Amino acid sequence: VIAAVEPIALGVNGSRHALQADPKTPLLDVLREMLRLKGTRLGCGEGECGACHVLVDGRSQASCTLTLEAVAGRQVTTVEGLDAGLREAFVAEQAAQCGYCSSGLLIAAAALLRERPAPTEAEVRAALDPHLCRCGAHPRVVRAVLRAARGGAR
Ligand code: FES
Ligand code: FES
């Protein structure tokens, strides 16, 4: 007899969910496969590249290495749940080439702007540093984050 799995509560982009899944399921899979939020991307799968970052209670974290049980009862924000002003600043500065890294960078930027609404360029660079971009878009991303800060984006 297989014991019924207790649903695990999770807040995502302002909605509450009760998820029936293996507690060890990576948060990334919960978001992409169960909730169909495809903006969060799988890169390295080992917590090293930043492609899969989401906000967990406002902090930018890798969703590939967090399990569902580790985030039970917490509030997760994915790129789909971010302020439009930040996304618009990325578009205005053309801050992407292939765009694969973009959602993770947007999340890092959002976490920074919530803590430091008017960051220095050095602070922006430091916040983005853990995020790999194979296309070399970082200089434009830095400009986009500074533009978003001037525009009051969060
Ligand atoms: S895919 Fe999660 S950090 Fe690279
Ligand atoms: S825009 Fe291609 S990896 Fe960053």
Side-chain angles (χ1 to χ4, degrees):
V1 178
I2 299 173
V5 181
E6 282 289 312
I8 295 176
L10 185 65
V12 181
N13 298 338
S15 299
R16 291 162 55 132
H17 298 274
L19 298 162
Q20 205 94 36
D22 181 340
K24 302 287 183 208
T25 307
L27 175 59
L28 177 63
D29 294 350
V30 171
L31 297 171
R32 287 185 57 90
E33 308 308 329
M34 297 182 73
L35 301 179
R36 314 303 291 171
L37 292 167
K38 300 286 189 178
T40 305
R41 305 242 169 74
L42 172 65
C44 65
E46 297 176 351
E48 299 291 339
C49 74
C52 67
H53 273 225
V54 296
L55 298 177
V56 179
D57 290 342
R59 285 189 50 222
S60 178
Q61 290 193 259
S63 63
C64 66
T65 51
L66 280 174
T67 59
L68 177 57
E69 67 182 347
V71 294
R74 317 269 292 274
Q75 296 296 326
V76 172
T77 305
T78 68
V79 68
E80 291 89 346
L82 290 185
D83 185 287
L86 193 49
R87 291 199 302 268
E88 285 162 8
F90 270 59
V91 172
E93 294 291 346
Q94 301 193 359
Q97 191 168 319
C98 76
Y100 203 87
C101 64
S102 299
S103 53
L105 282 162
L106 281 157
I107 290 290
L112 173 68
L113 294 180
R114 285 173 188 201
E115 215 172 287
R116 303 275 301 155
T120 64
E121 183 171 333
E123 287 170 335
V124 174
R125 288 184 184 279
L128 304 183
D129 191 54
H131 292 257
L132 300 183
C133 172
R134 285 165 296 184
C135 303
H138 266 142
R140 282 174 283 153
V141 175
V142 171
R143 286 203 295 275
V145 177
L146 292 170
R147 174 191 279 257
R150 286 195 302 275
R154 294 291 172 272

